[in-house]
Structures are given as C-alpha cells and as structure tokens.
Amino acid sequence: MMPVGSVFWHYTYEVPSVQEKIITVQEWQPKAGIKYNTEGVMTIDNADQLMLITTEGEGFLNEENFLFQKFNTRDIFNDLKINGTYKIKYYGWRNGFNSGFPNILSVEKVINENGTTNNKYGDYFGVKLAKE
C-alpha cells in the first residue's frame, strides 16, 4: 500500500509543482536536524545533507529522488557556486509545518558566474568542530 500511495502523491502533488526560477546562491549550510554531538563535532557525509540559501533568503534542498530519477546531488552542488546566478528547476513548496523545502531537480542555465569560485569540499564535507 505504501508504494502505491507514494506514486499517487508524486503524480498528484509533486509533478504538477515542478517550476523554474532564477536564483543567486548566497551559501550552502547544513540542513536542519544535523547537529553537533556532545563533543562538539558535526559530520557531513554527502551533498544531500546541505541546504542552498539564496540571496533572497529562500532555502532549497538538494536531495536524491527516485520518482524524479534524480541521483546527482553532488553534481548539482558542484554546479551551483556561491555568488553565481542560475536558472533552476525544482519541485515542492516551502512548508513551515514540517520544515519542508523545495528540492532542486536540475540547473537549467548559467546566468552569471562572474566573481564565483568552485565549492571547496573541505568547507562542507567531513568533520566540523563547533565554533567556540
């Protein structure tokens, strides 16, 4: 019953919500729920544990999704550079009730990458110590 319900939800609500938008990347930050442990250590293993924040203050997830056949979170992370402006395709809505955010499906077009640098893996992935 669960797979049938998931497919129904996907085609009824998620597919019709696919949209395109032009965004400027402000930063990548750990998703809500990823916290420091008691020793002050946070470990980020993969790109779907990060959230993209735009200069307009909007948040976008970058998670894999079987029904949309999206399995390239690391590629999208590499493509969306800080201070760059891009046209993205995404699905979903911002839902404060369950801390839901739209999920990026693809980078459709590079608008402006002047003044950007490649994302540095060490800044995002691995063990992070709490700021003192």
Side-chain angles (χ1 to χ4, degrees):
M1 186 65 170
M2 181 66 164
V4 172
S6 296
V7 171
F8 173 78
W9 178 268
H10 175 74
Y11 286 106
T12 304
Y13 297 103
E14 291 181 356
V15 170
S17 77
V18 172
Q19 300 176 52
E20 292 182 343
K21 182 172 194 150
I22 295 176
I23 62 163
T24 300
V25 178
Q26 177 176 321
E27 66 178 328
W28 288 93
Q29 60 180 239
K31 280 187 348 187
I34 299 175
K35 305 203 182 302
Y36 292 100
N37 65 15
T38 56
E39 288 83 35
V41 175
M42 173 193 297
T43 303
I44 298 176
D45 299 320
N46 53 48
D48 66 0
Q49 292 177 312
L50 297 170
M51 182 182 337
L52 176 117
I53 307 298
T54 68
T55 55
E56 293 82 28
E58 296 175 297
F60 289 89
L61 299 177
N62 180 24
E63 297 177 337
E64 300 198 350
N65 185 296
F66 178 77
L67 293 172
F68 276 111
Q69 297 295 299
K70 181 195 174 208
F71 305 107
N72 62 343
T73 57
R74 190 66 167 247
D75 296 334
I76 289 175
F77 169 78
N78 290 336
D79 290 344
L80 295 173
K81 301 171 186 169
I82 293 175
N83 296 323
T85 302
Y86 306 92
K87 182 178 182 182
I88 62 167
K89 188 178 279 189
Y90 68 95
Y91 74 92
W93 307 272
R94 171 68 175 111
N95 181 345
F97 176 71
N98 66 354
S99 296
F101 289 89
N103 190 8
I104 299 170
L105 291 173
S106 61
V107 178
E108 295 297 303
K109 182 178 178 183
V110 175
I111 306 295
N112 182 4
E113 284 191 336
N114 291 334
T116 65
T117 57
N118 290 329
N119 294 326
K120 297 177 186 146
Y121 296 120
D123 291 346
Y124 301 103
F125 301 103
V127 174
K128 305 291 173 210
L129 300 177
K131 305 218 185 333
E132 299 186 28

